[in-house]
Amino acid sequence: MTPDKKIEIVQMLETSREEVTIAVRAVPEAHATTKLDAGRWSVLECLEHIGAVEERLRGRLESSELLAAERAADLEKETKLAALVANRSVRAQAPGPVEPKGRFSSLAEALDHFHTQRMRTIQFVEERSGDLYRLTAEHLRFGALNGAEMVVIIAGHGRRHAEQIREITALLAGPLSK
């Protein structure tokens, strides 16, 4: 992986982290557990889910096998994955292990967990950037991915739920809350 590509991937992760952080900080703690509809997640549940997914996907990369040779970067696939994962018009069902389970009692606690996971992901990219196109890991929805593709999904997933948090916040602040 080129140094420029490593910088680009780390920037994607940092931008996504910032989007999540800004979205969460706009939520009053009193609204953290508010659900707009049955079957929908609260902001606190969204944040718990983001951290759980990141921990799980990075864990797959950390334990993945190295291919004998580096696969060529497929920038078109990476771009499509980033857009697809962040697109909230396409609903996706979270698998059981990453569904919210009420692990956190406050937004600050959940945000701290997310920041810890993101820091570990960025550290992984920094340390293993030379291997990202040789790592291979399975994603339940997208199949076999190389390390760079998996990291693109991690960043896009954060962006997806930052948007969801912004939507929830707007609805809670709108005319329905008055």
Side-chain angles (χ1 to χ4, degrees):
M1 169 175 287
T2 68
D4 285 347
K5 184 62 179 177
K6 177 177 127 181
I7 291 168
E8 178 186 333
I9 288 177
V10 168
Q11 255 182 335
M12 287 175 69
L13 290 165
E14 289 173 343
T15 299
S16 171
R17 174 179 52 199
E18 188 66 19
E19 283 187 49
V20 170
T21 301
I22 290 169
V24 169
R25 288 195 174 141
V27 178
E29 191 67 45
H31 290 161
T33 59
T34 302
K35 295 182 183 188
L36 296 173
D37 291 311
R40 298 287 189 174
W41 290 346
S42 68
V43 171
L44 186 58
E45 288 172 323
C46 288
L47 190 52
E48 177 184 347
H49 169 74
I50 299 166
V53 167
E54 182 142 352
E55 187 172 15
R56 185 175 174 94
L57 294 181
R58 189 191 59 256
R60 287 184 184 163
L61 285 176
E62 290 169 339
S63 64
S64 68
E65 301 283 324
L66 278 176
L67 299 173
E70 184 173 289
R71 290 189 342 190
D74 186 342
L75 300 181
E76 184 176 330
K77 181 177 180 182
E78 288 177 28
T79 301
K80 285 181 182 176
L81 284 170
L84 184 61
V85 171
N87 182 356
R88 294 240 332 115
S89 69
V90 178
R91 296 232 6 178
Q93 179 65 42
V98 293
E99 285 184 358
K101 300 189 180 5
R103 291 174 51 194
F104 305 109
S105 60
S106 70
L107 288 173
E109 186 182 4
L111 191 58
D112 184 56
H113 178 260
F114 165 69
H115 284 164
T116 299
Q117 297 312 312
R118 183 53 56 94
M119 180 188 68
R120 289 178 180 162
T121 302
I122 290 170
Q123 183 178 8
F124 177 82
V125 169
E126 295 278 356
E127 292 172 358
R128 302 285 306 272
S129 62
D131 294 333
L132 286 181
Y133 287 111
R134 290 182 59 208
L135 292 172
T136 184
E138 282 293 315
H139 187 279
L140 293 174
R141 185 171 171 200
F142 301 112
L145 299 172
N146 67 38
E149 293 162 349
M150 189 70 90
V151 173
V152 164
I153 286 176
I154 290 170
H157 183 257
R159 289 180 53 231
R160 174 188 189 90
H161 288 290
E163 179 61 28
Q164 183 178 7
I165 291 167
R166 286 189 294 270
E167 290 169 9
I168 293 168
T169 303
L171 288 170
L172 288 172
L176 295 177
S177 67
K178 295 180 173 127

